[in-house]
């Protein structure tokens, strides 16, 4: 069974730039959720993708967008980066409609915006 | 929406027992998770409660009271490696179950 992987591990960007983060879901999982975790806080839900469609969104502006591909991997794109976007970005995969309730987190991408 | 409260910090002694509380207000409930997160790492699953009562798994136990909007995580025989942040998260009742997290309780285990 392949676990959730994310790339890159760390990233430094300048304010105003754009960034793409990638996530490969666990084998057999069809749903990917993205979370932003600022230092000292819990993960905040950004959005979720199921069967290549956005399936729910948290309180994040439109400059946060995503994609899910036929193999269920996913991308998170952030445009016009702001200093407050500096955080750990986590993706989590799960199986919608399955009996398992768990979601498995990837190791995260640490984004620093300067 | 969801609102989750848990203490910010706790300290306990190696070998002791500690209880971390979590209260929540929710518009759609489909279970409560506890995760452990070491600094700089991703959250790892500890427990899931969807019915009232106590779930025991080794040194860790988790309790849920849906009528009170209350849960706790009980850690027994504390070890130094248990020093971490413990996150309470409520799963909503959508198909794939999005989770809303509290800000976590940082537990420090001292010798």
């Amino acid at each position: 069974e392949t676990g959730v992987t994310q790339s890159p591990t760390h990233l430094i960007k300048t304010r105003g730039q754009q960034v793409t983060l990638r996530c490969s879901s666990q084998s057999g999982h069809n749903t990917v959720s993205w979370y932003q975790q600022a230092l000292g806080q819990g993960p905040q839900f950004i959005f979720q993708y199921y069967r290549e469609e956005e399936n729910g969104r948290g309180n994040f502006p439109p400059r946060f967008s995503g994609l899910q591909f036929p193999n269920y991997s996913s991308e998170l794109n952030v445009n016009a980066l702001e200093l407050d976007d500096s955080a750990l970005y986590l993706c989590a995969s799960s199986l919608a409609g399955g009996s398992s309730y768990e979601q498995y987190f990837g190791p995260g991408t640490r984004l620093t915006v300067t | 929406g969801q609102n989750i409260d848990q203490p910010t910090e706790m300290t306990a002694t190696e070998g002791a027992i500690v209880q971390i509380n979590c209260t929540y207000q929710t518009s759609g409930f489909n279970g409560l998770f506890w995760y452990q997160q070491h600094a700089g790492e991703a959250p790892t699953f500890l427990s899931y409660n969807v019915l009232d009562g106590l779930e025991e798994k080794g040194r860790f136990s988790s309790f849920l009271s849906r009528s009170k909007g209350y849960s706790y995580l009980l850690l027994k025989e504390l070890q130094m490696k248990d020093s971490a942040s413990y996150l309470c998260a409520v799963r909503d009742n959508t198909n794939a179950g999005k989770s809303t997290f509290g800000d976590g309780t940082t537990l420090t285990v001292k010798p």
Side-chain angles (χ1 to χ4, degrees):
Chain A
E1 193 172 79
T2 306
V4 181
T5 60
Q6 292 185 244
S7 62
T9 307
H10 295 86
L11 199 54
I12 299 174
K13 288 286 190 177
T14 304
R15 189 172 52 184
Q17 286 187 316
Q18 179 267 343
V19 69
T20 297
L21 310 182
R22 295 177 175 83
C23 171
S24 292
S25 60
Q26 179 153 316
S27 176
H29 284 182
N30 55 16
T31 302
V32 173
S33 302
W34 285 92
Y35 294 86
Q36 179 195 65
Q37 186 174 24
L39 200 60
Q41 297 181 15
Q44 300 296 310
F45 176 74
I46 303 174
F47 44 55
Q48 181 182 81
Y49 276 83
Y50 171 63
R51 291 185 175 178
E52 303 177 55
E53 298 284 334
E54 187 178 288
N55 178 38
R57 188 179 184 92
N59 189 26
F60 281 81
R63 61 189 184 85
F64 285 77
S65 63
L67 285 172
Q68 186 180 33
F69 300 99
N71 66 355
Y72 304 125
S73 65
S74 177
E75 287 183 355
L76 164 65
N77 299 289
V78 187
N79 293 323
L81 283 167
E82 300 177 0
L83 297 179
D84 285 349
D85 295 333
S86 296
L88 179 68
Y89 288 84
L90 296 162
C91 79
S93 75
S94 57
L95 178 61
S99 59
S100 174
Y101 43 77
E102 291 187 42
Q103 59 178 355
Y104 295 87
F105 283 88
T109 294
R110 173 73 62 186
L111 173 65
T112 302
V113 182
T114 61
Chain B
Q2 321 275 29
N3 187 37
I4 299 171
D5 290 309
Q6 49 182 132
T8 303
E9 296 179 338
M10 297 184 72
T11 302
T13 304
E14 191 176 16
I17 299 173
V18 70
Q19 177 174 312
I20 303 174
N21 296 324
C22 171
T23 58
Y24 64 90
Q25 295 88 40
T26 179
S27 58
F29 179 85
N30 194 21
L32 186 144
F33 292 95
W34 284 97
Y35 289 86
Q36 181 191 60
Q37 186 176 28
H38 286 100
E41 298 181 10
T44 56
F45 170 83
L46 291 177
S47 68
Y48 174 71
N49 294 68
V50 64
L51 300 176
D52 291 350
L54 186 69
E55 296 278 345
E56 297 186 82
K57 188 186 295 185
R59 294 190 299 115
F60 292 6
S61 303
S62 56
F63 172 83
L64 175 67
S65 170
R66 289 172 296 171
S67 62
K68 296 181 179 178
Y70 168 70
S71 173
Y72 67 74
L73 179 69
L74 192 71
L75 292 77
K76 303 175 185 176
E77 301 171 12
L78 281 172
Q79 302 175 9
M80 299 298 290
K81 67 178 182 179
D82 296 330
S83 293
S85 178
Y86 291 86
L87 298 162
C88 172
V90 171
R91 183 174 186 244
D92 70 20
N93 53 7
T94 59
N95 186 27
K98 301 181 290 294
S99 296
T100 300
F101 284 80
D103 283 339
T105 298
T106 299
L107 173 66
T108 301
V109 179
K110 296 186 174 180

